[in-house]
Amino acid sequence: MTIPTVLTKRFGLRYPVIAAPLGRGATPQFLAALAREGSMGFVALMPMPETEVRQMLSGYIAATGGGGRFGVNLTLINDQMRRLDAALEAGCRIVSLWQGDPTRYARRAKDAGAVVFWTVSGPEDAARAADIGVDFIVAQGREAGGHLVGKAPLMSLLPAVVDAAGGVPTIGAGGIADGRGLAAALTLGACGVWMGTRFVASVESGNHPGYKQRIAKAGFADLVETTLFDGGWPESPHRVIRNSTVARWEEAGCPAPGARPGEGEQIGTFPEGTSMLRYNAATPWDSMDGDWEAGPHYAGTSAALVRRVEPIADLLSRIEADAEAALKRVLPLT
Ligand SMILES: Cc1cc2nc3c(=O)[nH]c(=O)nc-3n(C[C@H](O)[C@H](O)[C@H](O)COP(=O)(O)O)c2cc1C
């Protein structure tokens, strides 16, 4: 049995499971592996210099087989219209929006024939989604890894969003790492799930191997919600695994920005040649030049369910089989 939903049908997917943007870990090879295995992923455009978006995306299009095989993600904390235009000109036709007002970005994307995803904070946003032209809502529970917009845990947020969405299909995100989570999201009214942490800890992701291992070892007590890694992305809560930067700051009594230990210290260099400072928001990636351990290890409570770094094909088939088994346990599906 497969689990067909409006999400799988719209994009021709084998699984109702898609991968969140993972900073610089969402490489062309990672998104190509997802597309090949019957899923789909997103690449965040925020780290790409505006003038290079189009050329960088041509590599993703070549690897995945087209601009409808993966999505681009825009973080609307500042003007992202040039990046959106460059992505549309490159041929991308799946656009994900979050953090900020999506209205004019959604309109531009729809005019170009793109499918629009919007990560909402709760039912108030969801009630506006149809008018804005959103095709898929992502309901991000507060247990999520990375930056957080969700106002409540997924168990209550997701059905509240589904109820308010006016029929716009909704995807569950945050704290989901296995088939039981997929089954739960489906029964709460979702058409699929959007996972971040689980896919960081996949063989194919371009995230740093040390960071992947941290996820595989993390328990609930290792996770913190903070605004600490604010370089380039200020005053925005995020969930991370406690590392040396978090520990030093806690030992110093959790001082405010400007008085934190090691503030201004260079911990690495970006591919563009600029300095990466401690407290920067950049996710550690595999070929990075610098101290991967000092950067933010974004992870959701889902990390406690991840025990191994695994190939995407194995992950997806097991998630689906376990979701079916979970659904069969509670309802005889014959
Ligand atoms: C490493 C990492 C980077 C992320 N970067 C983004 C991003 O750039 N844009 C975005 O919309 N969400 C981003 N997220 C959040 C995810 O979209 C998603 O809401 C979250 O991963 C779900 O929780 P989970 O990690 O427990 O699966 C990121 C998550 C992680 C783990």
Side-chain angles (χ1 to χ4, degrees):
M1 184 187 134
T2 55
I3 307 177
T5 72
V6 60
L7 177 68
T8 60
K9 288 177 195 157
R10 181 73 184 254
F11 298 103
L13 307 178
R14 215 176 311 149
Y15 305 99
V17 178
I18 56 181
L22 304 177
R24 291 168 196 260
T27 58
Q29 296 71 27
F30 173 66
L31 294 187
L34 286 162
R36 206 169 44 241
E37 301 302 339
S39 176
M40 181 171 92
F42 287 78
V43 57
L45 300 188
M46 193 159 84
M48 297 184 188
E50 259 177 23
T51 51
E52 289 171 35
V53 168
R54 194 171 167 168
Q55 179 234 325
M56 288 175 91
L57 286 175
S58 63
Y60 284 81
I61 288 170
T64 56
R69 306 264 288 163
F70 70 97
V72 297
N73 171 259
L74 291 160
T75 297
L76 307 177
I77 56 172
N78 46 32
D79 190 354
Q80 296 292 323
M81 202 53 94
R82 287 215 186 117
R83 285 193 176 85
L84 174 59
D85 283 342
L88 295 170
E89 281 160 22
C92 293
R93 288 295 174 265
I94 304 172
V95 173
S96 138
L97 305 169
W98 83 326
Q99 300 223 348
D101 187 352
T103 312
R104 64 195 186 98
Y105 297 91
R107 196 176 309 127
R108 182 77 63 99
K110 297 296 293 179
D111 286 348
V115 182
V116 174
F117 289 64
W118 180 26
T119 302
V120 301
S121 61
E124 298 81 5
D125 284 348
R128 298 170 51 222
D131 285 346
I132 292 170
V134 170
D135 298 287
F136 289 90
I137 291 172
V138 179
Q140 188 208 42
R142 197 71 187 184
E143 358 15 8
H147 287 78
L148 304 168
V149 294
K151 286 190 179 138
L154 196 64
M155 181 68 113
S156 36
L157 184 90
L158 178 53
V161 166
V162 168
D163 286 348
V168 178
T170 300
I171 298 162
I176 302 170
D178 62 22
R180 294 166 298 180
L182 170 60
L186 294 172
T187 59
L188 291 173
C191 63
V193 294
W194 161 292
M195 296 183 186
T197 305
R198 178 59 272 190
F199 282 112
V200 171
S202 66
V203 170
E204 294 88 342
S205 93
N207 298 101
H208 195 282
Y211 167 33
K212 296 184 188 186
Q213 287 305 326
R214 289 277 168 98
I215 290 175
K217 292 194 174 71
F220 295 122
D222 300 310
L223 297 159
V224 280
E225 184 182 325
T226 181
T227 53
L228 192 62
F229 293 95
D230 58 1
W233 200 332
E235 292 169 19
S236 183
H238 42 270
R239 186 175 316 287
V240 291
I241 299 171
R242 188 176 279 103
N243 67 348
S244 61
T245 299
V246 179
R248 266 178 75 191
W249 174 73
E250 287 175 336
E251 280 158 23
C254 305
R260 301 177 294 190
E263 196 137 28
E265 184 186 329
Q266 180 169 355
I267 60 161
T269 308
F270 286 109
E272 303 79 48
T274 49
S275 300
M276 184 191 304
L277 303 183
R278 192 176 289 279
Y279 304 110
N280 196 284
T283 322
W285 66 98
D286 54 6
S287 58
M288 73 177 272
D289 172 15
D291 181 3
W292 71 270
E293 202 283 332
H297 302 166
Y298 298 121
T301 56
S302 46
L305 298 168
V306 176
R307 297 287 57 118
R308 285 197 314 277
V309 176
E310 291 178 80
I312 287 170
D314 295 359
L315 281 178
L316 288 169
S317 58
R318 195 181 64 241
I319 289 168
E320 185 185 50
D322 288 353
E324 285 169 14
L327 291 166
K328 281 180 184 152
R329 269 199 303 277
V330 290
L331 252 193
L333 291 182
T334 50

